Amino acid sequence: MRQFTYERATSAASAAAAVADNGNAKFIAGGTNLLDLMKLEIETPTHLIDVNGLGLDKIEATEKGGLKIGALVRNTDLAADERVRRDYGVLTRALVAGASGQLRNKATTAGNLLQRTRCPYFYDTNQPCNKRQPGSGCSAIGGVTRQLGIVGVSDQCIATHPSDMAVAMRALDATVETVKSDGVTRSIPIADFHRLPGDTPHIETALDQGEIITAVTLPPPVAGRHVYRKVRDRASYAFALVSVAAIVRPDGTGRVALGGVAHKPWRVEAAEADMPNGAATVMRKLLDGARTTEENEFKVTLAERTLAGILEETKG
Ligand SMILES: Cc1cc2nc3c(=O)[nH]c(=O)nc-3n(C[C@H](O)[C@H](O)[C@H](O)COP(=O)(O)OP(=O)(O)OC[C@H]3O[C@@H](n4cnc5c(N)ncnc54)[C@H](O)[C@@H]3O)c2cc1C
Ligand code: SF4
């Protein structure tokens, strides 16, 4: 690990300004992703700004009937919150499907959204990777692709976003609240928060340099059965091959978002009208234009069968 300096932030705006002014500075929250990447010298910040003391660790009711989740709320606390368990079950289920108890005790809401891909070539510093080193090439294309993306991919990158929590938040239409170095705040719909790789896979979100996440806001609860089903190679402590976050009403209508298939949580609202007609019809629209490899084409069938199982279970 390379040497770095460290400070504790005293306000969100001053933390944002410090990172905006220094391209080699980064925020640190739970550190469960950033420190791993620093040990491997994939991330090499020279200055860390610890945001844990900013008091952004509360879950509060909003005037509109939703919830405002502070950026520093730990994944464990979010999953266990009575209101989240009762009204946003898909979110609790997604959170507890991720990582391990110990990691969830440290991992924060903002850090979880910003965790980096688990593409094996991103972690192998001997291999070209456009995300790690822009312009160096993509080792995954023509390489081992079982875990990688099938939709929204580009000729520069086929990585997936690894967060479970973000998939549930996409199904819930969450909004990411931020503040910039000049104090200007933004509310970014989660649909627009994560980017597709295109020609710039190293740019992963809509955040500007130094822009800090202060909270994630959930709209009022969405009625229906809330399900999160994650399919993976091991029963626990593994990232999704495919995951499905679904909210299904008694008449079969609802919402569905996928994890493990794209560079961002994947949702196509137009596909949801077909939920009463069955999983195959939904998946045709949801995965329209999918670009698979021999090794990962199974994800199309897996996603369809996972949704079919959910629709069967939630019938009536
Ligand atoms: C072994 C292992 C297994 C895992 N399995 C899963 C899994 O199955 N599913 C899953 O979803 N996740 C999994 N994870 C990932 C884990 O959920 C993330 O590491 C965690 O959520 C990151 O949160 P953090 O607070 O520790 O982030 P940090 O590591 O502190 O930060 C991550 C990034 O977010 C930035 N950041 C942090 N806070 C802010 C802020 N307020 N504003 C702007 N930027 C900010 C940091 O600068 C950094 O770039 C796993 C991790 C490990 C190590
Ligand atoms: S898929 Fe993306 S992260 Fe993986 S090697 Fe290619 S550019 Fe890097």
Side-chain angles (χ1 to χ4, degrees):
M1 191 189 266
R2 298 197 195 167
Q3 285 204 334
F4 58 89
T5 48
Y6 170 90
E7 73 175 89
R8 288 196 176 93
T10 51
S11 78
S14 67
V19 174
D21 289 347
N22 178 357
N24 293 319
K26 289 214 77 135
F27 304 119
I28 183 161
T32 61
N33 191 222
L34 182 59
L35 289 177
D36 280 355
L37 294 168
M38 286 172 65
K39 287 178 202 161
L40 294 165
E41 299 193 359
I42 294 166
E43 300 249 26
T44 53
T46 54
H47 187 59
L48 289 186
I49 299 179
D50 185 336
V51 294
N52 284 288
L54 294 180
L56 302 171
D57 54 358
K58 294 171 192 64
I59 305 173
E60 296 162 311
T62 67
E63 281 176 10
K64 290 182 178 162
L67 282 183
K68 183 176 172 190
I69 303 159
L72 273 298
V73 172
R74 308 287 154 178
N75 288 179
T76 297
D77 297 331
L78 183 56
D81 185 272
E82 194 187 329
R83 295 158 294 182
V84 177
R85 289 176 61 187
R86 185 186 61 226
D87 298 330
Y88 302 94
V90 66
L91 181 55
T92 286
R93 291 184 178 103
L95 283 160
V96 298
S100 66
Q102 285 161 317
L103 283 159
R104 293 194 297 270
N105 288 344
K106 291 297 287 178
T108 63
T109 304
N112 191 311
L113 286 176
L114 292 172
Q115 62 177 291
R116 314 260 344 245
T117 185
R118 294 284 161 170
C119 170
Y121 301 101
F122 177 71
Y123 283 84
D124 183 348
T125 49
N126 294 313
Q127 304 282 341
C129 167
N130 285 325
K131 189 182 278 299
R132 182 169 21 80
Q133 199 179 349
S136 61
C138 172
S139 304
I141 295 174
V144 177
T145 54
R146 177 174 165 74
Q147 292 279 350
L148 299 180
I150 57 170
V151 70
V153 297
S154 75
D155 290 338
Q156 311 302 324
C157 181
I158 57 171
T160 58
H161 195 274
S163 168
D164 291 294
M165 181 195 80
V167 182
M169 287 184 169
R170 179 70 180 92
L172 291 166
D173 274 335
T175 303
V176 183
E177 315 290 350
T178 71
V179 61
K180 294 195 196 192
S181 54
D182 55 6
V184 170
T185 58
R186 282 209 291 169
S187 296
I188 308 170
I190 194 153
D192 303 329
F193 182 75
H194 295 103
R195 295 178 75 251
L196 289 179
D199 290 336
T200 52
H202 59 292
I203 304 173
E204 295 171 346
T205 69
L207 293 179
D208 289 341
Q209 172 70 21
E211 191 168 2
I212 186 170
I213 300 177
T214 52
V216 172
T217 306
L218 301 180
V222 183
R225 288 268 300 275
H226 285 218
V227 182
Y228 186 77
R229 193 157 295 168
K230 177 175 178 179
V231 187
R232 44 190 155 171
D233 281 328
R234 275 197 311 254
S236 78
Y237 209 42
F239 290 90
L241 288 167
V242 163
S243 69
V244 179
I247 302 172
V248 191
R249 289 185 278 265
D251 63 0
T253 61
R255 299 180 181 188
V256 58
L258 300 182
V261 297
H263 204 250
K264 60 191 285 183
W266 194 252
R267 182 172 170 207
V268 177
E269 279 82 342
E272 291 166 3
D274 281 314
M275 282 174 72
N277 303 324
T281 330
V282 175
M283 275 316 150
R284 258 198 298 282
K285 282 191 188 155
L286 195 48
L287 295 177
D288 185 34
R291 212 170 91 186
T292 59
T293 67
E294 247 178 67
E295 276 180 16
N296 68 20
E297 64 187 357
F298 75 93
K299 287 191 177 193
V300 174
T301 316
L302 188 58
E304 183 186 317
R305 289 185 182 164
T306 307
L307 180 62
I310 291 172
L311 295 179
E312 184 62 32
E313 180 186 304
T314 52
K315 246 184 197 164

